[in-house]
Amino acid sequence: MTSAETGSPPTSPDTFQVDLRGLVDLLSHHLYSSPRVYVRELLQNAVDAVTARRAADADAPQRIQLTASGGRVAMEDSGIGLTEAEVHTLLATIGRSSKRGGAEGLQSARQEFLGQFGIGLLACFVVAHRIRVVTRSARSPEAPPVEWLASDDGSYTVRVLPDDARTEPGTTVYLEPRRGAEEWTAPARVEELARDFGALLPYDIVFSDGSAQRRITELPAVWDRGFPSPAARRVALAGHCTRTFGFTPLDSIDLDLPVAGVRGVAYVLPEPTSPAHRAGHRVHLKGMLLTDRADNLLPDWAFFVRAVLDTDTLRPTASRESLYDDETLEAVREALGGRVREWLAGLAVGDPQRLSAFLQVHHLGVKSLARHDPELLELMLPWLPFETSDGTANLDEFTAAHQQIHFTRTVEEFRQIAPIAAAHGLGVINAGYTYDAELLALLPGIRPGVSVTELDAGAVTDRLDTVEVSTELALAPFLATARARLDALDCDVALRAFQPVAVPALFLDDRQARHERDRASAQEGAQASGDALWSSILGSLRGSAPRARLVLNHNNALIRRISALPDAELTGMAIESLYGQALLMSQRPLRPADTTLLNRSFLGLLEWATHSAAEKGEGSQ
């Protein structure tokens, strides 16, 4: 409600009071990740000042010098400078930026500036207890130089200096370190930070430690330099990667997006890395290092590269230490991913040796990309390795040998069935690894006539050799005993003859059968705990899925001896033991009923063996 509505007299607005100490603490502990950013702010202000002057006078000098000596840090530039009125307006008002339009008249060069938020010199208080600025305006050459002296207690003074205090336009900033921050103003540390932040800035920047001067900038960037040959360029890029990231890359990928104002390079990691790993990329904004930990710059599938690039379009956050994840970044991310994809396609067509070396290390990353890109998957079919019943093979080779392909969803299931599948000509692929099942689902659309189905017990059993009818009829009592013993475990029994002979029994089930077993196990647990409601719900979900199957190998001598046992109880214990052994070989989790059966059959066989041995001993006596 307004004062008119309430009948109360109008009140004059008050102005917010800012506690500079509290604001500096907020900057140093919450906005900025480290005090090191003060060097970036000094560089940024100097570059922006020179940019502003050159926008008005293209022939203006470009001089920026950073000095660290005697415990003090100084930044001098030949930039636009300030008048006394501008000092009061711009340096003493938090949030006001000299790069705004209006009275400052700099809007035409706005897009060239690095700074976006007008925090400016305030950030230097994270390491300094006093800041002194001496400046002279290039827009008003007749105006005298001005000094602004501020302390971290929030006080400042402004005074006009004699003309000889600074004869040329520009600004010099002097910092005196606060107690405990001396390490950040040591010459070696300042030079290191200046090189890290400013190596790609558009002007020559010189560092001085009081005794010698050294150039900070390294222009043009290594990816923009000319080289006598592609091999020489690869060597130079590899050296840059080693200095920047600490590893020698397998290869390098140009990331050139002129429309988006992005230029840089991606380096391929020399060792495998996890898809969950979030790589830290280096991003420069108009030459100034923004962050070396950008994890949203490339698509998630490109986890096998580390990128460094310069941009003038992406939007930084308020701390200028990361990127806003907005629509522009999303478009750039997709386009950069396209560059990586084009590089892969180029290797497949023109340099298969390099592609093979790459895939030996990073096939997982390519599989991650190919599951969303059928065209790339088709291109990579001759290269991507899969574990199959024929050994390690690519899908091009495997589909040529097998039109009907089966796959397992777990590594354990594959390793149990692979030897038997190979012996009987069944084409099985291990899809227990990341992304493999998704890629196999795309295969029929790429290779017409190829079918891909999940392996089930029936498919395997049907491919195994049947025994003669007369033999199976003769063994009917044995099979009836076996089925009766395993019926309570939702497991059927089949008799087949298969290779290798050394395998006495094979436990087979499919996903539906596993779901049913899990449901039954959960129902048993609910009944045991007295949860009638949950037990009833689980009971109502009982399905008609095919049951698991224990396939007995009639080629195995042990199976033939067990089938000939005259004692039905002993035969039952032997069947339970075979079931348990086959279940363990499949490395599936055991249900309580399975554990009970294993214990019972083991102890039963021990008792029978020891009892039989005792009887033999008594007979010999």
Side-chain angles (χ1 to χ4, degrees), residues 147-160:
E147 176 195 72
W148 180 77
L149 184 64
S151 299
D152 59 2
D153 61 2
S155 63
Y156 75 93
T157 60
V158 177
R159 66 188 179 104
V160 176

Side-chain angles (χ1 to χ4, degrees), residues 208-476:
S208 173
D209 58 7
S211 59
Q213 293 186 348
R214 290 176 289 276
R215 190 165 175 258
I216 293 297
T217 44
E218 301 174 1
L219 295 176
V222 63
W223 52 82
D224 286 328
R225 297 174 194 167
F227 294 94
S229 67
R233 186 174 190 270
R234 281 198 296 270
V235 170
L237 288 173
H240 176 259
C241 178
T242 302
R243 293 189 300 274
T244 305
F245 293 121
F247 64 85
T248 301
L250 278 179
D251 209 340
S252 56
I253 307 167
D254 282 319
L255 302 177
D256 187 10
L257 302 175
V259 175
V262 173
R263 186 82 176 93
V265 64
Y267 296 114
V268 181
L269 292 167
E271 297 178 351
T273 186
S274 167
H277 175 68
R278 305 288 286 182
H281 307 293
R282 286 178 67 90
V283 179
H284 296 258
L285 179 62
K286 301 181 180 72
M288 180 73 75
L289 178 66
L290 185 73
T291 179
D292 58 4
R293 296 187 299 272
D295 60 3
N296 56 354
L297 185 64
L298 290 173
D300 290 342
W301 56 259
F303 53 83
F304 51 86
V305 299
R306 296 281 298 278
V308 53
L309 55 80
D310 188 24
T311 176
D312 57 15
T313 58
L314 299 180
R315 183 185 174 199
T317 58
S319 66
R320 295 193 291 278
E321 293 185 298
S322 58
L323 295 168
Y324 269 118
D325 207 339
D326 54 14
E327 292 181 356
T328 302
L329 178 57
E330 183 178 356
V332 167
R333 181 165 53 236
E334 183 176 347
L336 292 177
R339 289 289 184 268
V340 178
R341 183 193 182 281
E342 291 169 6
W343 170 79
L344 283 170
L347 290 186
V349 173
D351 201 339
Q353 187 174 0
R354 284 169 64 197
L355 177 62
S356 178
F358 166 75
L359 288 177
Q360 286 179 6
V361 181
H362 294 300
H363 60 273
L364 200 59
V366 179
K367 287 182 177 181
S368 176
L369 170 59
R371 63 199 173 111
H372 300 300
D373 192 335
E375 291 183 7
L376 181 65
L377 176 59
E378 184 173 14
L379 192 64
M380 291 291 129
L381 283 184
W383 306 101
L384 290 177
F386 285 80
E387 187 176 5
T388 78
S389 52
D390 295 345
T392 300
N394 61 63
L395 292 180
D396 217 21
E397 299 169 338
F398 201 70
T399 53
H402 303 278
Q403 290 293 296
Q404 185 176 11
I405 295 176
H406 301 275
F407 68 91
T408 64
R409 290 192 178 271
T410 66
V411 175
E412 294 78 16
E413 185 179 5
F414 172 81
R415 290 178 180 168
Q416 183 199 20
I417 198 65
I420 297 161
H424 293 270
L426 190 65
V428 181
I429 292 180
N430 181 4
Y433 295 117
T434 307
Y435 309 132
D436 283 4
E438 296 170 80
L439 294 179
L440 291 175
L442 299 174
L443 195 55
I446 298 173
R447 288 287 186 269
V450 172
S451 66
V452 177
T453 57
E454 185 174 354
L455 186 71
D456 59 38
V460 178
T461 307
D462 292 343
R463 294 298 291 267
L464 303 181
D465 295 336
T466 59
V467 297
E468 293 182 4
V469 176
S470 58
T471 302
E472 188 160 4
L473 288 174
L475 295 177

Side-chain angles (χ1 to χ4, degrees), residues 489-507:
L489 298 171
D490 289 326
C491 182
D492 201 0
V493 177
L495 183 67
R496 293 290 186 273
F498 56 86
Q499 301 293 329
V501 175
V503 177
L506 181 65
F507 180 84

Side-chain angles (χ1 to χ4, degrees), residues 563-577:
S563 65
L565 289 173
D567 188 338
E569 182 62 26
L570 180 58
T571 301
M573 284 191 293
I575 290 295
E576 289 177 343
S577 297

